[in-house]
Amino acid sequence: MSAGARVRRRRRTGLALAVVVLAVAIVVSFAKQRETLRGPAAKPLPGPALRTLAKDDHILLGTALRDEPLRDEPGYRKDIVREFAAVTPENAMKWDAVEPERGTFKWGGADRAVDFAAEHGLKVRGHTLVWHAQLPGWLTDGNFERTGLLHLMTGHIRREMGRYKGRVPTWDVVNEAVADDGSLRQSLWGKELGPGFIAAAFTAARKADPKARLAINEIGAESIGPKSDTLLRIVRKLKQRGLVDEVGFQAHFNLNGVPKTMESNLKRFAKLGVDIAITEADVALPDKAGPEALQAQAKVYARLVRTCRAVPRCKALTVWGFTDRASWIPHNQPGFGRATLLDDQLAPKPAYRAFQDALRGS
Ligand code: G3I
């Protein structure tokens, strides 16, 4: 073989090698991407499942459910089925998700949540029918007059509850109606329809699914104060008309902890003859906080569980996500993550064990 031919052959071999290396690199990177897409595997968790311990306390234990990891992450799904007895679709049932354009309905996420729950024997908390946030633009910018708006509100309730009749046993009918100072929140609903929108929504909901349990859900009303005083008056009136079955306290906490008056507050609501639910519990931590913050967080979770156990009518407790990889906190409150029981790799944090111990009564 001539020197020229040898050089050409070496070049060809080199090129072929480079192509093989590139192909392998592409395959490995695709495989890695797919692994990320599918999320971490569920980790072994110590002791009995939380749902079992909660059941012994007559508490239905739930978690917020996100559509993306529900679709993509087997570990996420596995943990839910193992640890929880109920799910609350975190965003999939909100008005902007189900009717982004007027008259165009997208039930994909909501259906997925309800089907997943049915497949695994989990209860669903419908969330949420009448709220001031996550409303579609056509509704907020529509300048509807009073009667038209009322009609849209009751129509939305009828349609959504009707679709899931018999499959969603509890609904957050009205969410966050009261402002922090105890006045009616000046939302689209409060501003345009006045305080009567609340009873109108509950009346429509009762009619839409007479067997469903109807809840009013509130944020920041855990302690005794102007906000919970107003809520108490609203609930008393609704209860007198047979329109409400349950009051939801969201319990979005941080390291300031559970308010001292929470237990007595829940008890005064229970006295009205309604059930109590903790509906969106989490405990936000600054990202920069050290390991001692995780211990402090564990104490807040434990205290919350004990508070629910101390109120006989506190029948449900839902955490607003159970893993840091699917929690609203980092996205909506940048600088604050790590608010849930498991870390972003699904490994238990001190809060998980503390939650377990508190459910056991220890
Ligand atoms: O859907 C859009 C998507 O199209 C867009 O590309 C993306 C870009 O950021 O945003 C997506 O919308 C996000 C939406 O969740 C759906 O994922 C919003 O940015 C985000 O702000 C929104 O946050 C939700 C928040 O409600 C809105 O107020 C949280 O996930 C949800 O956990 C949170 O839940 C509420 C309860 O329903 C009621 N109580 C308070 C609680 C916390 O705010």
Side-chain angles (χ1 to χ4, degrees):
M1 195 186 292
S2 72
R6 266 204 302 276
V7 169
R8 277 199 298 281
R9 192 168 146 190
R10 252 192 245 127
R11 270 198 199 134
R12 272 203 303 274
T13 317
L15 196 69
L17 251 169
V19 169
V20 169
V21 168
L22 192 70
V24 169
I26 289 171
V27 169
V28 167
S29 126
F30 268 120
K32 271 198 179 143
Q33 256 179 32
R34 180 143 182 77
E35 193 48 42
T36 325
L37 184 75
R38 291 171 58 79
K43 307 282 180 298
L45 294 170
L50 299 179
R51 59 179 283 165
T52 313
L53 295 170
K55 193 173 174 202
D56 294 345
D57 291 338
H58 309 285
I59 294 172
L60 181 73
L61 190 70
T63 177
L65 173 69
R66 277 215 170 166
D67 195 43
E68 300 81 359
L70 171 65
R71 277 181 307 185
D72 299 337
E73 299 190 6
Y76 177 86
R77 290 196 292 269
K78 195 169 170 188
D79 273 352
I80 291 182
V81 173
R82 187 177 56 192
E83 295 295 318
F84 298 97
V87 290
T88 304
E90 187 172 337
N91 291 303
M93 287 182 156
K94 291 172 180 173
W95 203 330
D96 68 345
V98 301
E99 194 183 2
E101 307 296 334
R102 191 170 184 186
T104 303
F105 297 93
K106 293 201 169 162
W107 299 106
D111 283 357
R112 242 184 318 277
V114 174
D115 291 346
F116 171 73
E119 190 186 336
H120 298 287
L122 311 174
K123 297 256 193 294
V124 180
R125 186 178 186 93
H127 178 82
T128 174
L129 296 165
V130 183
W131 190 28
H132 60 273
Q134 286 174 290
L135 294 173
W138 64 263
L139 180 62
T140 47
D141 304 337
N143 285 317
F144 295 103
E145 42 71 48
R146 201 189 132 77
T147 319
L149 192 61
L150 191 62
H151 198 68
L152 283 168
M153 182 189 83
T154 51
H156 169 68
I157 293 170
R158 259 199 311 278
R159 184 181 296 270
E160 184 153 347
M161 287 186 74
R163 182 176 182 86
Y164 299 111
K165 199 168 177 173
R167 304 186 76 199
V168 172
T170 304
W171 283 93
D172 286 331
V173 178
V174 171
N175 196 36
E176 303 173 10
V178 186
D180 286 345
D181 65 1
S183 62
L184 185 73
R185 186 189 286 275
Q186 288 306 289
S187 64
L188 174 69
W189 313 111
K191 228 171 23 204
E192 301 299 328
L193 305 178
F197 88 84
I198 301 174
F202 276 90
T203 306
R206 241 333 158 238
K207 238 177 165 175
D209 186 353
K211 289 196 179 140
R213 295 172 48 72
L214 306 184
I216 187 164
N217 193 37
E218 192 52 83
I219 187 166
E222 289 81 15
S223 58
I224 294 182
K227 193 171 200 173
S228 57
D229 288 351
T230 302
L231 184 65
L232 192 74
R233 283 195 290 276
I234 293 172
V235 172
R236 185 180 289 121
K237 281 196 196 145
L238 289 172
K239 178 67 185 165
Q240 278 162 1
R241 295 176 58 184
L243 291 174
V244 71
D245 306 300
E246 187 177 287
V247 183
F249 294 87
Q250 295 185 10
H252 289 293
F253 291 143
N254 53 32
L255 292 186
N256 291 335
V258 175
K260 285 197 179 66
T261 54
M262 183 163 177
E263 185 180 321
S264 39
N265 190 33
L266 301 196
K267 283 182 172 159
R268 69 181 180 150
F269 279 84
K271 264 196 189 153
L272 299 178
V274 289
D275 285 336
I276 305 297
I278 309 295
T279 51
E280 304 182 14
D282 52 20
V283 182
L285 291 185
D287 289 336
K288 288 188 186 135
E292 70 289 347
L294 290 173
Q295 300 299 335
Q297 178 186 52
K299 284 191 181 143
V300 180
Y301 269 112
R303 171 100 190 267
L304 179 63
V305 170
R306 284 193 211 105
T307 305
C308 183
R309 288 179 91 240
V311 180
R313 288 201 81 138
C314 184
K315 304 242 174 93
L317 200 170
T318 298
V319 290
W320 209 236
F322 63 94
T323 161
D324 293 342
R325 65 186 291 104
S327 156
W328 70 291
I329 300 275
H331 180 82
N332 297 52
Q333 293 178 39
F336 285 77
R338 302 186 294 157
T340 69
L341 301 175
L342 307 185
D343 71 14
D344 62 0
Q345 292 303 304
L346 302 177
K349 292 167 24 185
Y352 177 88
R353 184 78 81 164
F355 203 98
Q356 213 169 38
D357 289 346
L359 284 172
R360 274 200 194 97
S362 52

